[in-house]
Amino acid sequence: MYEKHLMICGATGCLSSGSNLVEEALVEELEKHGIRDKYRLVMGGCPGFCEVGPIIVVYPDEVFYCRLKPKDMAELVEKHLLEGEIVERLLYKGPDVVVPARFYDTIPFYAKHKFNVLRTSGIIDPESIDEYIMRGGYRAFTRALSMEPLAICEEVKEAGLRGRGGAGFSTGLKWEFTNKAPGPKKYVVCNADEGDPGAFMDRSILEGDPHAILEGMLICGRAIGADEGYIYCRAEYPLAISRLKIAIRQAEEYGLLGKNILGYDFNFKMNIKEGAGAFVCGEETALLGSIEGKRGMPRPRPPFPAQSGLFGKPTTINNVETFANVPLIVKEGGVLEFAAIGTEGSKGTKVFALAGKVRNTGLCEVPMGITIREIIYDVGGGIKRGKEFKAVQAGGPSGGCIPAEQIDLPIDYDSLNKAGAIMGSGGLVVMDEGTCMVDLARYFLSFTQKESCGKCTPCREGTKRMLEILDRISEGAGVPEDLDTLDSLAASIKDSSLCGLGQTCPNPVLSTIRYFREEYEEHITDKFCRAGICKELFTYRIDQEKCTGCTACARVCPVDAIKGEKKEPHEIEQDLCTRCGSCVEKCRQDCILVVPQGREADVSN
Amino acid sequence: MCVEVETVLPEIDLSELDAIIEPYLGRKEMVIPVLQKVQDHFGYLPRPAMEQVSRRMRIPLSRLYGVATFYAQFKMKPRGRYIIRVCKGTACHIQGSPKISGRIEEILGVESGETTDDLRFTLEEVACIGACALAPVIMINDDPHGRLSPDGIEKILEKYS
């Protein structure tokens, strides 16, 4: 028996903040005191709050330590483990709490959370099947084994589960189609090719709770009559792949994968395929092509994968989060429990990856229908450095941006569609006044342009033409007709592209034109980028009233363009300035202004 | 896409290649995993190795290159000991990843996709590492480095020699 369990977040977020070094220091301290064997250390799944990583949670005391450094471990061991006293210094502190918060329930970031999919992530050891089973794991699968396959589809349909990866199609219906497709051989495929830049929830589920995905896929296999599954995971997620491999091996040892599972007439074999770096492989037919060892190019639908999928056999494809929801529904009484959360058309919870210029970045799982305001201000703690909230980009390169005026929009499939965005996989990138919307549209389009597989002309050529126009606008060579041309190109690409990538890639451009038209016009007619991003369209000027002559900007300037005496206002030599923005980041008085070129007027902020 | 023959021609030792291909013989759908293993072994996909894979797996060389050049992961030229992957995800972009890659290009004197002459670093871009909360992020081999600013880059690079 261990005295305490210490869960160290071992997900990619905390690893980048140095959680492996913290773990080494902890082990060293424990060994120094000769108490290593009294404590169980688990490099576990993600508690979601990446902003304050590295994180250690001590159980059963339920104490949440954050922003840890290796040198903090001596105090943690001596005070907490040996003397039983909480180390207050290492608890969560922030502008949003009065006293340091001890556990999830008192940290504002978690206040709106509803842990469903992330129910065990960060609580159990992701490399232990026993811990998963002890928390009710594989019980839903056992129940599914005793059910009629179509009854399972019916339950998933009734619960109202919709695909968490993009279009939001009814999962139960998808399963039913595959179930009814003729043929003895069928496949279950898990799309773990999370490619949307700005989304990392699938990675956290894979790393934190791999068995939940296996269980979801097994239940699907039973429901559609498949005996083989593939997990297609990005090669950029090495930790996720290694944990999946461990989980599969354990499930095989326990007889949960293999032949005649638990004595039933049900066989299942699980395979992992590593992606090789192609965004379009997140599209289901392209993904299937890639598993078959071909170039990952989409093919026309119909036939849908439910009729003719992997190796030409009926196939169900769902994404990671969708599968992770399945055991919650198929367990005893799960349908009602699941359907009680969310809105009329969007049931359950959704995991969002909150990133960008928000104070608390990380993963949050909240009920469908929560508003953007609640996510940004309650969960996210507001905008960094007290700046103005400008817009949020939902759904990655296929989605759109939602402006500050619509901050009370509920986040569910239908509301987001109406606003010109999509749920997508659930990435939410928050932007402030320092983000240029033309640049943002250009960024997304250059991404999809690069990732376009080239098979169909509207996507291959159309995105290229749109990108040329956006490049021109951001370089100051835009003409007023450009906006109409963009609109009409976007409409043709949406209508005539072969797959989801092409059909949705104009969305970021359309939604930024829709909500921030004046910013485009400013770029085109005034040749001015007010956010100070498009380098040809602004200059920096130092506010002579505010500058204290601290020399911070002059020291950081890589081209020595800033001149001035100590304690005297500085000035920028415009011929030298490359507008790299280093000085803006360093200036503590906010006195470096963004002004139009050739004009000395103060129009910034 | 044209396939360039590598300019520096290091001796390529193909002796272990058959052992890599062996388990996949007759399974043409496994061509991507085979190429991944070959690249793990050589660091890239040398032409002689590709020819051998083609012969042993009975896949035309043209098709093999068709697959290899489709995926960003596969490299046709030798790469550095350290692979720097600059995350170009949305969160990183709006938190300033263009400045980070600009600074790295300046220090190393290579552009994205290129390798330094001493084969120390290769600079690449990647769509998203999935550590958006710590943007901007780069990975050097398997080590992630987060919350970067342009002036901190040099110090990080010094650690990799």
Side-chain angles (χ1 to χ4, degrees), chain A residues 13 50-51 197 200 203 234 273 275-277 290 292-296 356-357 361 384 430 439 443 580 585-586, chain B residues 29-32 36 63 66 70-73 88-90 93-95 99 127-130 132-134 144 147 151:
Chain A
C50 312
E51 181 71 32
F200 54 101
R203 197 207 64 209
R234 294 181 78 195
K273 274 271 177 153
S290 183
E292 292 166 5
K294 301 178 187 147
R295 289 164 72 95
K357 304 201 175 171
T361 52
K384 270 186 193 157
V430 179
D439 176 68
Y443 161 77
C580 70
E585 273 159 42
K586 274 278 152 10
Chain B
E29 81 280 5
M30 297 304 276
V31 57
I32 294 171
Q36 282 168 332
R63 224 202 109 200
F70 183 83
Y71 296 97
Q73 193 188 15
K88 292 278 166 170
T90 322
H93 179 79
I94 69 165
Q95 302 270 41
K99 287 178 195 165
C128 186
I129 292 171
C132 312
L134 300 167
R147 293 202 178 99
D151 43 339

